Amino acid sequence: MRWTQTLIPTLKEVPQDAEVKSHILMVRGGYIRKLTAGAYSYLPLGLRVLRKIEAIIREEMDSHGGREVLLPAIQPPELWKQTGRYDGLGDVLIKFMDRHKKENVLGPTHEEVITALVAGEVRSYKQLPLTLYQIQTKFRDEPRPRFGVLRSKEFIMKDAYSFDVDTDGLNRSYQKMYEAYCAIFSRCGLDYLAVEADPGFMGGDVSHEFMALSEIGEDVIAVCPSCGYAASKEAAAIQSPVASAGGGSAFGGGRQSLAKGEKLETIKEVETPATTTIEKVGKLLNTPPEKMIKTLIYKADDKPVAVLIRGDHDVNEAKLRRYLKCEILQLADEKTIKDVTGGPLGFSGPVGLRGVRMAADYAIADCGNFVTGANKKDFHLMNVNLGRDFTVKEWADVRYVADQDPCPKCQKPITIKFAIEVGHTFKLGTKYSKALGAAYLDDKGEERPMIMGCYGIGVNRIAAAYIEQHNDDNGIIWPASISPYRVVIIPVNAAQTKIMGVAEEIYADLTKQHIEALFDDRDERAGIKFKDADLIGVPYQVVVSDRHINDGKVEVKTRKTGERKIVDIQCVRDVVSAMP
Ligand code: ATP
Ligand code: MG
């Protein structure tokens, strides 16, 4: 492609609303332009990247048993009401009225549509297993569209759905998709991890998130550098010291293990007027949050429960809900707190709490002389110690992991990292097949619900996540696999016929060899061309200048390393195609 015959509007300035590298570079490199919040136009270079990623996805999906379909974005709300997601998705679901005053929704995902389709077309176990996928635009009214195409309201997703006769079948289909995903992300050049994700409400179901590591990622993951364990922050388990110590005595109800050289202090009540948060109490009493106990009163299906965790930790309500086996979990209202503790909100503590179920996080056992609420307005207690001042009967994993927590697999310290979710695989079971009547007849003629899995990948997000991971001060650094072109040919002076002649010759030769080349035939200064070539990030640059052409040679520069080779004009195509 000739630069002058396409549209690559590169920019020198950083766009005002762009906060992250990928957004800045995609705009500056002429890949995308913003239309409105959460909606972007893809210019020729941007579209070529998307098409490359899609081609890799198609190859891997097809070779792992997927069959491509294309489902409508416009969908009837009735389907969504049948699965309960019309309300469940809330404002994320974009709805509109057509001219006949009939409501439509724009598909944010396609479980409902595909399940209804398969319900109508597949009747027999002989037609299963079946994995269908599509690459299509999704619509979500995201509360906070941001970071360019990383989180937009309109984006391209590859979504796949598997239908099986039984759980073994689902496991096989799931495994194939898992392998396809690993192949896709590796081929796209992403530095990624497959992590165990929160199985959500339907406890026991398996789910994996594919995470591209990045400082700007909105997802938090726990990674063990020693054994390779990786889980989302939501799912990462906290090892019960009881289990790891083979049922040690420490958790029988009370003990205190103080820091080295610290002794058990006498409990005392201190006045803390109108001081309720961990931060304020900590400041007033000069105590770090890890020496404080937060006592949170919850209502689990209407029964009060007190939850004890350290001041620097956070309750994971999904874990707590699973632990308590309740449907509805919410923080208790002021009246319940008063009834249960005798004190107001913000002053709860474990000392003297009676008649209420109490669950504590393991970390409470690991230190002493805590600050807690005194269950009395404007008072806290200092030097509270487990065993002496209160006891715990229920130890539970009810909080989010924190950096340096012991790994649930090998007990060595885990590390907390940030990541961008680029894909998600999920064993669904029969939730959708039951709701939408996707049943098959087994070999005895009995009707059974199909067992489903679903698998999503964000196409645009792969491009942006890749750029987050692979850039330098000059621009993007593409791998050959998803770069818009393999080579950019740069004649340093378009006014010199000899230089342009050689550049034309190389361009024609590469094109004939099906090597994707972009020919910078603009009448621009060499400096501008070099800067733009680095900015758009194509992996190889062929520089044609009068420094070398009289010897019949040109320069081939590798964008990633900056390495330059002087190459015979006739050999450019072989050198460029041999490069990785
Ligand atoms: P997130 O947690 O980031 O909102 P999600 O869990 O809602 O994502 P899924 O429903 O699992 O997303 O969608 C599958 C894939 O689609 C995600 O892994 C991600 O790569 C992509 N994706 C989801 N939402 C967006 C968005 N708003 N913009 C771009 N890509 C998205
Ligand atoms: Mg997800």
Side-chain angles (χ1 to χ4, degrees):
M1 178 55 61
R2 287 167 195 275
W3 198 300
T4 54
Q5 290 175 12
T6 181
L7 179 65
I8 311 177
T10 56
L11 301 173
K12 272 208 209 84
E13 300 76 32
V14 173
Q16 267 193 347
D17 62 342
E19 303 163 72
V20 296
K21 264 287 174 72
S22 57
H23 188 188
I24 294 170
L25 292 175
M26 286 174 96
V27 173
R28 284 195 53 217
Y31 285 82
I32 57 166
R33 285 294 182 267
K34 178 170 162 178
L35 175 63
T36 180
Y40 288 83
S41 305
Y42 282 80
L43 308 188
L45 287 188
L47 185 62
R48 286 182 73 92
V49 173
L50 295 185
R51 292 288 180 258
K52 290 275 170 76
I53 296 169
E54 290 171 5
I56 291 174
I57 292 176
R58 280 200 174 88
E59 275 179 32
E60 295 300 334
M61 293 306 292
D62 291 346
S63 67
H64 287 84
R67 299 297 164 249
E68 189 168 359
V69 294
L70 184 59
L71 307 169
I74 297 180
Q75 305 172 3
E78 291 75 23
L79 272 183
W80 292 84
K81 287 178 183 161
Q82 267 174 275
T83 59
R85 291 213 293 183
Y86 182 84
D87 293 326
L89 279 165
D91 291 336
V92 167
L93 205 57
I94 299 179
K95 304 158 189 149
F96 68 95
M97 289 290 180
D98 66 17
R99 64 173 75 206
H100 305 295
K101 301 278 174 291
K102 187 181 167 346
E103 192 183 36
N104 294 274
V105 309
L106 288 179
T109 171
H110 278 73
E111 281 82 6
E112 279 74 3
V113 174
I114 195 94
T115 312
L117 179 80
V118 169
E121 306 304 327
V122 176
R123 291 298 296 149
S124 160
Y125 73 97
K126 290 179 190 154
Q127 294 165 279
L128 298 173
L130 186 63
T131 296
L132 299 172
Y133 77 94
Q134 64 170 342
I135 297 179
Q136 198 231 27
T137 302
K138 304 284 190 236
F139 300 88
R140 295 183 183 181
D141 193 353
E142 293 277 356
R144 269 190 90 194
R146 62 185 200 141
F147 294 168
V149 302
L150 276 174
R151 182 171 297 285
S152 47
K153 290 205 230 173
E154 180 183 327
F155 60 95
I156 301 172
M157 198 201 284
K158 186 290 303 171
D159 44 327
Y161 307 90
S162 65
F163 298 85
D164 276 278
V165 295
D166 55 20
T167 314
D168 284 349
L170 168 63
N171 291 343
R172 280 191 295 274
S173 299
Y174 189 89
Q175 183 60 24
K176 275 196 204 159
M177 286 299 110
Y178 186 96
E179 284 163 15
Y181 273 41
C182 293
I184 290 164
F185 297 124
S186 302
R187 286 181 62 185
C188 289
L190 278 179
D191 180 11
Y192 76 97
L193 280 175
V195 308
E196 284 171 28
D198 181 14
F201 251 128
M202 303 164 284
D205 286 356
V206 173
S207 160
H208 287 94
E209 281 167 348
F210 290 78
M211 296 290 199
L213 295 170
S214 164
E215 284 296 315
I216 62 113
E218 294 179 295
D219 286 277
V220 182
I221 60 176
V223 183
C224 176
S226 308
C227 75
Y229 169 83
S232 72
K233 191 183 170 203
E234 286 71 30
I238 288 157
Q239 177 68 45
S240 148
V242 185
S244 64
S249 60
F251 291 87
R255 71 150 190 190
Q256 56 289 123
S257 66
L258 299 168
K260 248 201 180 143
E262 192 183 2
K263 53 185 210 317
L264 217 60
E265 303 286 352
T266 319
I267 189 167
K268 64 175 177 197
E269 200 174 76
V270 283
E271 209 172 342
T272 51
T275 316
T276 54
T277 62
I278 289 288
E279 202 194 336
K280 285 187 193 153
V281 176
K283 244 196 201 143
L284 186 69
L285 302 179
N286 194 21
T287 306
E290 60 273 20
K291 291 287 263 178
M292 299 166 78
I293 295 179
K294 275 193 277 206
T295 307
L296 298 153
I297 312 295
Y298 276 92
K299 261 188 155 175
D301 291 343
D302 258 12
K303 285 203 197 71
V305 182
V307 177
L308 307 187
I309 61 165
R310 243 167 48 183
D312 57 329
H313 289 152
D314 293 305
V315 170
N316 176 337
E317 293 190 353
K319 281 185 178 179
L320 182 60
R321 186 181 290 121
R322 275 199 294 279
Y323 173 73
L324 297 171
K325 295 193 179 66
C326 65
E327 287 282 319
I328 300 167
L329 179 77
Q330 54 196 12
L331 279 165
D333 52 280
E334 296 244 14
K335 183 180 175 304
T336 310
I337 294 172
K338 181 97 194 158
D339 290 348
V340 167
T341 69
L345 174 70
F347 295 94
S348 305
V351 181
L353 262 197
R354 265 176 267 283
V356 61
R357 181 174 178 188
M358 190 161 86
D361 169 59
Y362 308 116
I364 297 290
D366 269 345
C367 130
N369 293 332
F370 279 114
V371 165
T372 75
N375 297 322
K376 186 165 146 190
K377 187 171 163 38
D378 294 342
F379 282 93
H380 276 77
L381 296 175
M382 290 182 80
N383 306 326
V384 170
N385 283 293
L386 178 65
R388 184 190 69 184
D389 307 319
F390 70 102
T391 53
V392 171
K393 290 203 195 81
E394 288 184 57
W395 295 99
D397 174 7
V398 292
R399 67 166 167 95
Y400 289 103
V401 276
D403 203 49
Q404 303 302 308
D405 266 334
C407 166
K409 282 232 170 90
C410 75
Q411 312 336 309
K412 300 234 172 70
I414 54 149
T415 316
I416 297 292
K417 292 199 161 158
F418 294 96
I420 300 165
E421 181 196 313
V422 284
H424 198 169
T425 56
F426 205 104
K427 289 188 187 176
L428 289 171
T430 56
K431 177 174 171 184
Y432 296 91
S433 48
K434 278 188 178 154
L436 294 159
Y440 68 96
L441 296 175
D442 69 11
D443 53 358
K444 296 182 189 71
E446 254 174 67
E447 197 172 82
R448 296 181 185 281
M450 295 178 202
I451 317 284
M452 289 176 61
C454 73
Y455 318 89
I457 285 185
V459 175
N460 328 61
R461 212 182 254 189
I462 289 182
Y466 178 87
I467 297 172
E468 284 301 330
Q469 293 180 338
H470 302 88
N471 66 73
D472 62 15
D473 290 344
N474 300 322
I476 302 170
I477 305 175
W478 289 118
S481 62
I482 61 171
S483 175
Y485 292 94
R486 186 172 179 84
V487 203
V488 52
I489 302 164
I490 309 170
V492 296
N493 188 342
Q496 274 198 37
T497 36
K498 196 162 173 203
I499 290 179
M500 273 308 259
V502 171
E504 287 279 1
E505 199 184 305
I506 294 172
Y507 176 54
D509 191 36
L510 294 184
T511 308
K512 208 168 111 200
Q513 299 301 316
H514 305 291
I515 298 170
E516 293 169 315
L518 176 64
F519 180 16
D520 191 350
D521 60 342
R522 292 176 298 170
D523 186 10
E524 284 285 2
R525 281 189 290 116
I528 290 181
K529 291 187 178 184
F530 292 146
K531 275 214 155 62
D532 277 351
D534 278 356
L535 175 62
I536 66 170
V538 167
Y540 306 109
Q541 301 171 8
V542 175
V543 181
V544 186
S545 72
D546 43 16
R547 264 174 76 190
H548 302 293
I549 49 170
N550 291 332
D551 307 331
K553 293 182 194 291
V554 291
E555 209 175 72
V556 177
K557 176 182 149 184
T558 301
R559 169 69 180 90
K560 187 175 169 187
T561 57
E563 187 197 340
R564 291 160 195 274
K565 280 186 189 159
I566 311 300
V567 171
D568 283 340
I569 292 168
Q570 293 75 24
C571 297
V572 169
R573 67 170 192 222
D574 298 333
V575 169
V576 166
S577 51
M579 285 166 130

